[in-house]
Amino acid sequence: MENLDTSYARHLAEVNKHNQVVVSEDIYNEQGALLISRGTVLGESKVEVIAKHKLVKPLEQSVDIASSLDGQALLDYLNKFSASVPGLSTATSQSEVQKILDYCCHQYDRYPLLRQKLTVMSRQMRKRYYRALFSALAGVLIAIEMQLDEEDRVTIFLAGLMHDVGMMHIPPEICEKNGPYSLEERRVMEAHPVIGKHFLDMVPGLPAAVSRAVLEHHETALGTGYPRRKRADQLSVTGQVVAQCDLIIAYYLRYKFDAGLSRELTIAALRLNQGLHSEKVDQAAVSMLNGIIPPEPIVAEVPSVQSLIESQDRLKDQFDKITLLVSKLVEHIDDELKVTIMNMYEQLSITMVRAGIFQNEFTEWLREEGEDEGLELLKLQVMHSDVDFQFNRMLHLIWEGIETMPAAKQEVRKVAEDYYARMIPKTCRTPRCQYL
């Protein structure tokens, strides 16, 4: 697999075709040999040189981009992007919010390495760039709801912009893959917060809180996230806000084609997942979304009652199988992973209850009155989709537990694999995961 500098160098070489990238200081390998001289334009041929060596300094410290995205340009892009998201500009266009965004953009302007990274992302990873803008905007709005101080607002803004910066150092064939992932590919993808923190830690003068928030943006209060599986009392407020923003973006983009309903469906999904982040962050996120005034909703195509009843029955069956699988495996799994699996199982159980999947009376309501409740049927479909996502995450953890059993338990592992193969549908045996 390519080293981290090579993947980023390939992005820089592509940027160089439109915006000159020049080596700002001599580049040496770890043995002290000069690889590329100062003043050299970083084209594709130089990338192949970099690919063969481990550099003494990270590549971003040794290059300059002719025209990088400065603070004023960033503010303009933020406002343009806000206008493109239904209802978002109603919140971000307020004078007080504009003052905060202007200040945050001036703070961003102080760090040339951040400007370099965002410039490259805007050219090479357009979707992630838009998510970075969305995260920065949503983060500031949540910070205002929580009445956080100026320092925390700036931390959340910068961490929102940079939360996926580590993705630029991951080979595109993995980073852009839709799934399924192998266990090794998943581990590479789940390293992106660590890679991002490593980069941010070397940015001169950047507060450590920014890199910490980036490191924590896939962690949950229940200890079921990654890369460190930290729990609520180990997480920073700013990291939890950025994590919540990442969740909001995933839902908002998933439902953006439901005319005028993206806000309602996102709120429904967030409420289903209460407890993933701190209660104050959860409440502030929903309050922030309630302050966004979307267009008049149009409930067009809705799922049928029968399809939702069948979905409920399928999810019940899956849950019963996972319950049995966990009961057979849990005592044989590494203690740390065992805690994570049980936390995830508890979260899944709560989600099933919140979605009404165990309630027979809810099924009766669906049969008798559901046909006339278009928006409620859409919300229920959202809940079922999210339960499916949690099932997939649970399967990842269970399979990791099976694969990491020590040599002394190979007989148990064989039995566990057999259980997994018999109980889990063939299409799910390599658990899927979407990285957003």
Side-chain angles (χ1 to χ4, degrees), residues 217-427:
H217 82 272
H218 279 296
E219 300 285 4
T220 74
L222 300 173
T224 57
Y226 65 86
R228 302 284 187 251
R229 294 188 180 129
K230 293 181 178 179
R231 294 180 66 84
D233 60 350
Q234 301 171 303
L235 298 170
S236 64
V237 172
T238 52
Q240 286 288 274
V241 171
V242 178
Q244 185 71 287
C245 290
D246 210 40
L247 200 58
I248 289 170
I249 294 163
Y251 290 133
Y252 216 93
L253 294 178
R254 187 182 298 173
Y255 309 127
K256 69 179 179 180
F257 297 114
D258 295 290
L261 292 172
S262 51
R263 185 193 71 166
E264 295 300 327
L265 299 182
T266 297
I267 290 173
L270 289 181
R271 284 180 169 154
L272 186 68
N273 282 283
Q274 286 177 343
L276 275 183
H277 304 111
S278 75
E279 184 178 356
K280 287 183 179 179
V281 173
D282 282 342
Q283 291 174 349
V286 171
S287 179
M288 180 273 289
L289 287 168
N290 279 325
I292 293 175
I293 304 173
E296 189 68 27
I298 303 172
V299 181
E301 191 173 333
V302 298
S304 69
V305 168
Q306 184 58 36
S307 70
L308 290 172
I309 291 174
E310 290 172 0
S311 175
Q312 285 198 163
D313 291 341
R314 174 181 59 82
L315 292 172
K316 283 180 188 176
D317 182 60
Q318 282 184 303
F319 183 78
D320 289 342
K321 288 176 178 177
I322 280 185
T323 299
L324 182 56
L325 192 56
V326 168
S327 70
K328 297 289 184 182
L329 286 178
V330 71
E331 65 180 282
H332 303 290
I333 294 174
D334 171 78
D335 285 344
E336 184 179 346
L337 186 56
K338 182 193 303 184
V339 171
T340 302
I341 287 175
M342 295 312 297
N343 287 339
M344 186 69 206
Y345 179 77
E346 180 182 356
Q347 178 189 339
L348 181 59
S349 304
I350 292 170
T351 303
M352 296 275 286
V353 171
R354 284 178 179 158
I357 292 170
F358 292 136
Q359 299 172 21
N360 292 329
E361 60 268 28
F362 188 69
T363 303
E364 291 305 311
W365 173 84
L366 269 175
R367 287 197 176 100
E368 294 172 8
E369 302 179 40
E371 294 289 357
D372 299 323
E373 300 289 341
L375 180 57
E376 293 307 311
L377 293 182
L378 276 173
K379 287 182 178 179
L380 186 57
Q381 185 179 53
V382 165
M383 293 179 186
H384 287 191
S385 174
D386 206 80
V387 171
D388 260 328
F389 185 85
Q390 289 190 31
F391 269 126
N392 283 325
R393 178 64 181 155
M394 189 76 194
L395 291 178
H396 274 301
L397 292 171
I398 290 172
W399 190 250
E400 184 178 342
I402 292 173
E403 287 202 327
T404 56
M405 280 185 182
K409 294 191 175 181
Q410 288 308 297
E411 188 173 333
V412 175
R413 172 174 172 168
K414 188 175 180 181
V415 173
E417 288 176 340
D418 181 59
Y419 263 94
Y420 192 95
R422 285 191 289 112
M423 295 171 61
I424 306 300
K426 190 173 181 179
T427 54

Side-chain angles (χ1 to χ4, degrees), residues 113-163:
L113 283 174
L114 300 192
R115 296 202 305 268
Q116 178 192 137
K117 289 288 187 176
L118 200 61
T119 301
V120 175
M121 184 182 285
S122 70
R123 167 65 67 172
Q124 291 299 108
M125 305 179 80
R126 202 69 177 169
K127 289 182 179 178
R128 295 205 178 273
Y129 169 66
Y130 289 140
R131 289 171 182 172
L133 299 181
F134 203 151
S135 184
L137 288 168
V140 166
L141 293 175
I142 291 174
I144 293 171
E145 287 287 341
M146 296 179 68
Q147 299 182 334
L148 298 181
D149 62 24
E150 184 179 87
E151 183 179 344
D152 283 342
R153 292 197 297 257
V154 172
T155 294
I156 290 166
F157 178 84
L158 295 178
L161 288 178
M162 294 290 125
H163 74 280

